[in-house]
Amino acid sequence: MIASVHGKVIDKDENSVVIALNGLGVQVFAPKNLVAKLKLQEEVFFYTYLAVREDSLTLFGFENKEQLNFFNLLISVNGVGPKLGQTILSHVDTQTIRRAVAADEPELLNRVPGVGKKTAQKILLHLEGKIEGAEDLSPIASFSDTDTSILEALTALGYSVVEAQAALQSIPGDASEDEEERLRLALQYFNF
């Protein structure tokens, strides 16, 4: 078992980094938002999970133990493998997963590429009672139909659910309920 990796980033792509370790280059798959903020030649430390398959050994990395613990919980769900678990953590943060479980809102997860309604419901059912602090969270404010459409449009444009929610929350309270106007205001959050 490889529990952690510490070294310099010598290469990276959208989903992974290559870390120099005593003359070896080890590829570590990590959430996209984490990979995006890493720079070449930067010292990094990852908590890791080693997925062993017949034809491959794949190392998944996380910036803290909480992410690793959530990853382990996600892949314990029937039908969620390491790649899908990593995709989920690339699109929603652990706080959003907690809130989705507390409020029983599978739609927060089924906007993640590769997660359908049934899988999202299965994840919430499996995680219920297993996530510390989820019961203490207030439910996520429910969105109007207009805001739900905007959230869907933003996620279709490639923004993560977390980014789309932040953009929606940035819309002034006195803004018009017109869908096009609210979408324009939400896009301003991303400096458009």
Side-chain angles (χ1 to χ4, degrees), residues 71 74 79-89 112-115 119 123:
F71 177 78
L74 288 169
V80 178
K83 286 188 180 179
L84 184 55
Q86 188 78 337
T87 300
I88 293 169
L89 289 173
V112 173
V115 178
T119 302
I123 290 169

Side-chain angles (χ1 to χ4, degrees), residues 27-29 49-53 55-60 82-83:
Q27 184 176 26
V28 180
F29 289 87
Y49 173 87
L50 180 63
V52 179
R53 301 279 185 251
D55 57 347
S56 70
L57 299 172
T58 308
L59 202 56
F60 293 90
K83 286 188 180 179

